[in-house]
Amino acid sequence: MIIGIDVGGTHTDAVLLDRFKIKKTAKVITNQENLIKSLMEATEAIFDGEDPGELEKVVLSTTISTNAIVQGKTDRVGMILAAGPGLSPEMLRINEDTHFTSGYVNHRGIRVAGTNRGEVSGIEDTFKKEGINHVGIVGKFSTRNPGLETEIADIIDNSFRHISFGHRMSGNLNFPRRIATTYLNAAIWDTYNAFVKNVMEYVGRTNTTAPIYILKADGGTTGISQSAGYPGGSILSGPAASIMGILSLTNDSKDAVALDIGGTTTDIAIFAGGTPLLEPLGVTIEGHKTLIRGLLTKSIGIGGDSRVRYEDGRLVIGPERDGPAAAFGGPSPTPTDAMIALGLTDIGDRGKALKAVEEIAGVKNCSIEEMAKEMFDLVCRKITSAVNEMLLEINNKPVYTVHEIFEGKKIKPEVVYIVGGPARPMAPYIDKMLGFPSCIPEHAEVANAIGAALARTTTELTLLADTEKGEMTIAEEGIQVRIPDGFTREDAISVCEDKLRERALRMGAREDDLDIEVIEDQVFNMIRGMGYSTGKNIRIKAQVKPGLIAGFRKEASNVRQ
Amino acid sequence: MSDSKRKTGLIFFPAFDWAISPTHPEREERLLYTQDQVFEEGLLDLDNIVEFKPGLATTQDINRVHICVPDAPSVITQSHLISAGGAITAAEKVMQKEVDNAFAIVRPPGHHAMRVVHGARGFCNINIEAIMVEYIRHKYGPKKIAIVDTDCHHGDGSQDIFWHDPNTLYISVHQDGRTIFPGSGFPDEFGGPNALGYTINMPFPTNTSDEGFLFTLDNLILPILDEFKPDLIINSAGQDNHYGDPITDMSCSAQGYAILNDRLSPDIAVLEGGYSIESALPYTNVGIILAMAGIDYSHVTEPDYNPEAIRQTPRITQQIEQQVSYIYNLWKNRESQRAELIKGGEYLRRDKGIFYDTDGISEHQEETVRICNECGGLITIRSKASTGNNIFAVVIPGQSCPTCREKGEKIFKSTAEGSYNYIYFQDRDRDIFLVK
Ligand SMILES: [Zn+2]
Ligand SMILES: [Zn+2]
């Protein structure tokens, strides 16, 4: 049996799966002040009376880190940046505790300038005077050579509670994002680690030995104790839970669009051959662009409860929500009221819905039905044009080889999956506008919890081998080792895959779920002087891609036969 | 620097799977470290910098500019369609006002490609700026366009294509042709009889540094641009004047390139050469991008930057000052010189020997232009190449006068098939390209 729990902003959903079939579900109100309490309530609601010995694992998707960032309940972080030349330091400063130090690594990972002990010690003293306990150390190109960051850490003594290193966050290039990611990771460190401790204490009081997993923004899981080292990974797991849920409820391998139409917003995600697309570099939270791996989602401020008004001679929808739909006692007319007025759904108080729509119809001087139609049409159109825009953006993503320009794969959705309150009334209109069929998955009300329960462990690694330097770096793992002259692309791929496998297993992956894929594979001849080849520059990135655990996929395919 | 932010479009196409040959300067690795630097600096995350995927140029876009022998598909690769397409995308984004300016960091380059193309020369097959310029005119109507070519090599291809066009001001600054490929670009190369003064060449002594370039910009290029009043300024932004470039002998830095771009303030910049791929290009490109976007570039320096070590000598400074004032006077007196050049003649012919160093082809060309006060003048070309191809071409210029068009049409019609391997007819205004 597997438990999946999604702690959302308002509700906490839980699902108990027995042999991949839903056995029980529960929904409790989330207690924002005490998330552990919500977790306990939800768990007890589905697991009381069950045999703890049968429990294989528990997967949590929690808002703890997201909330800490959104609500500004973060710790002060002393940031030490080795920026070298480039953008102005003023553009890199992330908080008032940002300090710059000498030392610079170039694009090839060659150290151009070393650190300055006195400088670093001075910064350390400032942090101590200020009572700062958390430190972030980030160097430009530190993914190409982590040495400078660790050297800075060696200069400051270890009396700080925690040090986050830029090179551990991601193998991707992007110094400002590396700074933001490292900062956030350190800023939520205490909050997240306290949460992990509480969960473990609670688990200790129960009779289970089942491992606990945390859902990450990339739709994959990681063991809870391993997640404590990288709190950043746990932000924005909510949208990921929903996308993985839709994937598990539909379980096919088509190009597809997923829509989650909520009260205030509609979230759009895209599947390429049954795998959800990832953000190219990382997720954005509270204006911070990060290197945190995350599923690609686009959120628009349109939902069932969006406020609708007539303004400057035209209908305007959202992005704000004044409350529930008028049919449920809300103050303003909403798309939900329009759907009720049109008879597309029979929820709520039809009288109130009609009255609310009539209000705007009066302003425009048209019939209630005409206005309801116009409102409904506009909502559907806004959503579908956002979908088309997103597809266009994905299919027009810049590529850097002739081959990709001419042969690059395009996403051509065959189906749109729709979940959320207004899914049923809107589906027939949305699919017509998009030009491909829609599908409303069953059990969509607990999709998030199911998504968490069935997600596999994911991770990625980036390897850079430079045979001229005779060195190979895998920054996320802190690996920087010598390689022989004859080191080849094949060697690099095999090392990268091995290290990725080790990393995934350490994070709690099961052998069956190690669906490893090389996602970047480039080799460049390095030519210097007059046409003289001095070595090879090899770049490999591999991942365990987001997807569902192996047992479920097997089960599902059996069912289908 | 100016501190007003501008919205800048970036078209980045490093062609990681294309090379002239595995060890050639134009190889896969050329923009690798530039991409690393642009990515690591996070430039694409900045609000006012947007990246666009390059479109593809069409055969029609090429035929508007070139006479490719035997035809366009035979002298290009897919990569050329992308680099020319990238330049066109940059122009489109600017013309459609999606951005304030745009920079196409694309390869392969194009400024050594002349009007008639028998093969590749100076790493170039087709002239991507020229294709972009004529695309703009084709789609958006007649425009006065200035091209400022800051590549270290004389842009002899661009010069050849715009030689007779009074609506295109082509200014090239470059290392003195006596010391470097292609050996041309002297001040007396000044434009054809109908466009005298609209080709400007400023050769620099070797080891000229930022100072010399900026002096020339302030005292020659900007004053001429002020008088020409172009609708668009294009920078052929070659980066091989860098002190680290392995195939040139100049002393410019990333700071110099950024300041130059900032002051010139081009609407569109297109990368040309630049072969110090590891120690120069990452920094010069970042500097130019920031300058175009109006973002502080003062911290963009090469790791080994030492302004004292690369400073030009007072003798070089003096030579440049004299040269600049000489050329500015030429420009000022262009009208009187024209009268002297045409001396009441009806046609003017120039004979050219052209060597295609990249492909090892030699060509002999006779180009005749009709002296015309109404337009750029009808052009006819006879060209014979070592490939065995012997061709004749009739070129009706853009914004042509009725007489030049009529005469051109008549010549094309009356030239007998069989007297050449191919006979071409190119009419820019009507976007017609015929071969017989
Ligand atoms: Zn050049
Ligand atoms: Zn004429």
Side-chain angles (χ1 to χ4, degrees):
Chain A
M1 285 189 288
I2 302 175
I3 292 178
I5 301 178
D6 175 50
V7 184
T10 35
H11 291 109
T12 295
D13 294 321
V15 61
L16 177 67
L17 300 181
D18 188 1
R19 266 164 284 249
F20 307 112
K21 303 230 157 45
I22 296 172
K23 188 169 182 191
K24 276 186 215 167
T25 65
K27 200 181 262 296
V28 303
I29 302 288
T30 301
N31 181 340
Q32 287 295 351
E33 300 309 307
N34 192 346
L35 293 182
I36 293 287
K37 202 158 162 262
S38 311
L39 271 178
M40 282 164 56
E41 268 177 43
T43 311
E44 278 150 22
I46 54 166
F47 205 66
D48 266 2
E50 301 289 343
D51 175 7
E54 289 284 301
L55 188 60
E56 293 161 63
K57 67 170 171 177
V58 179
V59 187
L60 302 178
S61 163
T62 154
T63 51
I64 183 90
S65 304
T66 308
N67 285 352
I69 294 167
V70 172
Q71 294 160 10
K73 290 179 183 161
T74 48
D75 288 311
R76 251 176 106 172
V77 181
M79 296 293 291
I80 307 179
L81 307 184
L87 276 190
S88 154
E90 283 322 301
M91 296 181 72
L92 300 170
R93 197 178 289 281
I94 193 160
N95 62 5
E96 55 182 11
D97 301 313
T98 301
H99 295 259
F100 292 86
T101 183
S102 341
Y104 177 53
V105 169
N106 78 3
H107 42 75
R108 271 187 64 201
I110 296 168
R111 186 184 298 204
V112 177
T115 49
N116 178 324
R117 277 197 95 78
E119 233 175 58
V120 175
S121 300
I123 297 170
E124 178 189 7
D125 291 343
T126 310
F127 289 168
K128 288 205 169 135
K129 237 178 277 159
E130 294 279 323
I132 290 171
N133 293 316
H134 300 82
V135 175
I137 302 176
V138 192
K140 192 173 283 178
F141 285 114
S142 64
T143 53
R144 295 277 160 92
N145 180 349
L148 198 71
E149 286 182 2
T150 50
E151 201 177 290
I152 292 170
D154 289 342
I155 297 174
I156 61 179
D157 65 25
N158 50 15
S159 64
F160 293 104
R161 189 136 70 233
H162 163 74
I163 296 177
S164 283
F165 290 99
H167 68 268
R168 290 281 180 161
M169 299 295 130
S170 161
N172 287 333
L173 293 180
N174 194 312
F175 186 49
R177 282 181 185 253
R178 190 174 309 120
I179 294 168
T181 310
T182 311
Y183 163 74
L184 291 174
N185 195 61
I188 59 173
W189 181 271
D190 276 4
T191 308
Y192 187 73
N193 274 271
F195 170 78
V196 169
K197 195 165 149 258
N198 286 335
V199 171
M200 294 318 283
E201 272 169 17
Y202 165 61
V203 173
R205 289 199 300 275
T206 65
N207 288 324
T208 178
T209 52
I212 314 292
Y213 288 84
I214 294 292
L215 189 74
K216 303 176 294 159
D218 71 351
T221 65
T222 175
I224 191 165
S225 44
Q226 289 81 11
S227 79
Y230 181 39
S234 67
I235 70 164
L236 293 181
S237 65
S242 145
I243 295 165
M244 296 312 289
I246 292 173
L247 185 64
S248 68
L249 295 172
T250 55
N251 198 41
D252 60 29
S253 49
K254 291 178 182 154
D255 283 0
V257 174
L259 288 178
D260 185 346
I261 307 172
T264 326
T265 59
T266 294
D267 296 330
I268 312 167
I270 309 288
F271 298 110
T275 300
L277 290 188
L278 288 160
E279 281 281 358
L281 287 172
V283 299
T284 298
I285 181 165
E286 289 295 292
H288 291 298
K289 290 176 175 167
T290 76
L291 291 174
I292 298 166
R293 240 172 91 97
L295 297 185
L296 181 69
T297 54
K298 178 171 178 165
S299 193
I300 56 170
I302 302 255
D305 300 342
S306 297
R307 179 161 78 100
V308 182
R309 62 214 176 271
Y310 208 75
E311 230 174 55
D312 305 328
R314 58 190 196 100
L315 209 53
V316 180
I317 298 187
E320 56 286 292
R321 170 186 189 265
D322 289 346
F328 292 92
S332 318
T334 67
T336 302
D337 297 314
M339 288 180 250
I340 296 168
L342 290 171
L344 297 171
T345 177
D346 55 7
I347 52 171
D349 182 332
R350 185 173 157 82
K352 283 184 184 167
L354 287 172
K355 200 161 161 276
V357 177
E358 190 177 15
E359 242 174 68
I360 336 181
V363 182
K364 203 203 165 184
N365 208 3
C366 64
S367 73
I368 296 182
E369 202 193 332
E370 278 168 344
M371 180 44 69
K373 234 186 214 140
E374 194 182 332
M375 286 164 67
F376 181 64
D377 188 65
L378 183 60
V379 172
C380 292
R381 258 191 300 124
K382 288 228 170 200
I383 292 173
T384 52
S385 64
V387 168
N388 286 329
E389 220 171 83
M390 187 172 176
L391 287 168
L392 197 70
E393 227 168 85
I394 292 166
N395 285 333
N396 278 317
K397 202 176 71 122
V399 293
Y400 304 114
T401 58
V402 177
H403 177 81
E404 285 169 288
I405 291 262
F406 283 89
E407 317 286 337
K409 186 185 177 301
K410 294 259 186 281
I411 304 269
K412 290 193 195 92
E414 293 175 60
V415 56
V416 51
Y417 304 120
I418 312 180
V419 299
R424 218 157 280 282
M426 289 174 84
Y429 296 85
I430 286 185
D431 62 15
K432 210 166 291 150
M433 287 182 186
L434 286 175
F436 40 86
S438 61
C439 163
I440 300 172
E442 271 180 80
H443 302 296
E445 63 293 344
V446 284
N448 293 24
I450 298 174
L454 294 174
R456 67 162 79 118
T457 299
T458 57
T459 185
E460 72 171 29
L461 279 185
T462 309
L463 178 149
L464 179 83
D466 187 324
T467 64
E468 188 193 65
K469 269 168 69 191
E471 197 172 74
M472 174 187 80
T473 311
I474 305 176
E476 299 105 307
E477 289 284 287
I479 295 172
Q480 189 174 19
V481 293
R482 304 289 308 164
I483 46 169
D485 265 1
F487 194 81
T488 63
R489 166 181 165 267
E490 290 71 25
D491 294 335
I493 290 177
S494 128
V495 171
C496 193
E497 286 181 344
D498 286 351
K499 294 291 169 191
L500 183 73
R501 187 171 290 116
E502 279 171 30
R503 181 178 167 97
L505 291 173
R506 206 165 60 229
M507 286 169 65
R510 290 186 324 182
E511 268 310 331
D512 305 358
D513 290 330
L514 292 178
D515 192 348
I516 288 178
E517 174 185 46
V518 174
I519 47 178
E520 261 177 55
D521 171 6
Q522 293 178 300
V523 187
F524 293 91
N525 259 326
M526 303 174 71
I527 310 292
R528 297 296 176 268
M530 286 283 102
Y532 173 64
S533 170
T534 54
K536 286 197 187 317
N537 194 298
I538 308 171
R539 295 155 176 219
I540 306 291
K541 192 192 283 288
Q543 69 164 347
V544 179
K545 65 181 175 188
L548 306 169
I549 50 180
F552 174 72
R553 278 176 292 151
K554 230 173 279 160
E555 189 75 15
S557 61
N558 287 341
V559 169
R560 220 154 274 191
Q561 286 158 13
Chain B
M1 63 165 287
S2 57
D3 53 351
S4 56
K5 273 199 191 177
R6 290 175 287 261
K7 190 159 188 187
T8 295
L10 199 60
I11 292 84
F12 188 67
F13 187 69
F16 284 148
D17 53 353
W18 186 87
I20 289 180
S21 76
T23 57
H24 195 279
E26 268 306 335
R27 65 179 179 278
E28 297 88 341
E29 190 193 4
R30 182 170 167 229
L31 292 174
L32 180 63
Y33 312 104
T34 293
Q35 185 190 61
D36 285 347
Q37 197 76 32
V38 169
F39 282 6
E40 177 69 353
E41 297 290 352
L43 300 189
L44 302 178
D45 277 339
L46 298 175
D47 298 336
N48 59 325
I49 296 179
V50 225
E51 187 185 14
F52 298 101
K53 184 180 184 174
L56 294 175
T58 62
T59 303
Q60 208 180 359
D61 294 327
I62 299 170
N63 287 343
R64 208 174 283 132
V65 171
H66 290 292
I67 309 291
C68 295
V69 185
D71 54 25
S74 331
V75 297
I76 57 155
T77 66
Q78 288 179 326
S79 195
H80 295 98
L81 292 178
I82 306 170
S83 73
I88 288 175
T89 303
E92 273 291 354
K93 300 298 170 187
V94 171
M95 298 307 291
Q96 297 283 350
K97 301 204 176 351
E98 279 183 55
V99 295
D100 298 317
N101 55 30
F103 185 15
I105 306 184
V106 295
R107 57 180 285 268
H111 76 151
H112 295 302
M114 300 188 169
R115 190 192 308 270
V116 177
V117 178
H118 288 279
R121 53 188 308 278
F123 318 162
C124 303
N125 296 49
I126 52 171
N127 195 307
I128 63 178
E129 284 97 337
I131 289 170
M132 173 182 82
V133 162
E134 295 309 335
Y135 173 91
I136 293 172
R137 290 179 170 144
H138 166 66
K139 181 147 176 202
Y140 298 96
K143 294 260 172 307
K144 279 175 85 175
I145 294 178
I147 301 173
V148 179
D149 188 331
T150 50
D151 188 278
C152 186
H153 302 92
H154 174 227
D156 54 348
S158 303
Q159 169 169 308
D160 179 66
I161 292 168
F162 296 113
W163 186 252
H164 298 294
D165 181 359
N167 293 308
T168 306
L169 171 65
Y170 177 70
I171 305 178
S172 179
V173 296
H174 44 262
Q175 184 177 326
D176 192 316
R178 285 169 297 191
T179 57
I180 197 167
F181 177 90
S184 54
F186 301 99
D188 61 344
E189 296 165 37
F190 199 51
N194 302 325
L196 199 69
Y198 297 93
T199 294
I200 303 272
N201 280 297
M202 168 66 196
F204 284 120
T206 50
N207 300 315
T208 297
S209 61
D210 298 340
E211 201 186 325
F213 276 81
L214 297 175
F215 178 86
T216 306
L217 180 73
D218 294 340
N219 296 283
L220 183 68
I221 301 174
L222 294 179
I224 292 178
L225 288 176
D226 271 351
E227 291 168 49
F228 180 67
K229 296 191 184 19
D231 299 309
L232 285 169
I233 297 176
I234 292 156
N235 181 204
S236 286
Q239 297 168 18
D240 37 10
N241 288 298
H242 194 269
Y243 63 84
D245 200 278
I247 64 173
T248 64
D249 306 289
M250 301 294 262
S251 297
C252 286
S253 70
Q255 274 298 302
Y257 268 104
I259 296 169
L260 183 129
N261 186 281
D262 191 12
R263 291 193 201 161
L264 179 63
S265 197
D267 299 287
I268 303 160
V270 179
L271 176 70
E272 280 291 337
Y275 301 97
S276 174
I277 63 173
E278 207 180 300
S279 26
L281 261 52
Y283 310 99
T284 44
N285 278 305
V286 167
I288 293 174
I289 294 168
L290 292 181
M292 288 191 82
I295 296 169
D296 183 1
Y297 53 76
S298 61
H299 297 265
V300 181
T301 52
E302 304 78 353
D304 63 354
Y305 178 54
N306 177 357
E308 285 317 309
I310 55 170
R311 192 179 299 285
Q312 69 194 33
T313 61
R315 198 184 132 68
I316 292 176
T317 305
Q318 198 193 357
Q319 280 177 326
I320 291 172
E321 283 172 7
Q322 281 169 359
Q323 188 81 282
V324 160
S325 89
Y326 170 72
I327 297 170
Y328 188 65
N329 275 327
L330 278 180
W331 159 259
K332 277 289 182 198
N333 298 323
R334 61 191 183 279
E335 295 299 336
S336 58
Q337 288 188 64
R338 177 170 189 257
E340 208 170 295
L341 178 71
I342 58 182
K343 285 194 208 100
E346 203 183 334
Y347 290 91
L348 207 75
R349 192 176 109 176
R350 55 174 184 160
D351 283 28
K352 293 182 279 186
I354 299 160
F355 183 61
Y356 292 70
D357 60 316
T358 308
D359 278 353
I361 298 168
S362 48
E363 175 195 356
H364 182 261
Q365 202 186 98
E366 295 169 20
E367 182 204 77
T368 308
V369 66
R370 179 176 176 264
I371 309 282
C372 181
N373 291 321
E374 317 295 321
C375 74
L378 166 69
I379 300 165
T380 55
I381 299 167
R382 278 169 233 280
S383 158
K384 206 172 178 167
S386 57
T387 54
N389 278 321
N390 181 16
I391 66 114
F392 181 72
V394 177
V395 177
I396 313 280
Q399 294 177 262
S400 70
C401 70
T403 319
C404 285
R405 156 160 296 114
E406 244 165 65
K407 283 185 187 287
E409 284 168 348
K410 206 177 279 169
I411 294 173
F412 180 66
K413 218 173 274 166
S414 64
T415 308
E417 278 174 71
S419 45
Y420 297 92
N421 297 105
Y422 303 96
I423 302 163
Y424 301 90
F425 179 77
Q426 184 186 62
D427 181 343
R428 283 192 187 153
D429 287 340
R430 297 187 183 167
D431 210 26
I432 293 172
F433 186 81
L434 304 172
V435 192
K436 65 177 187 184

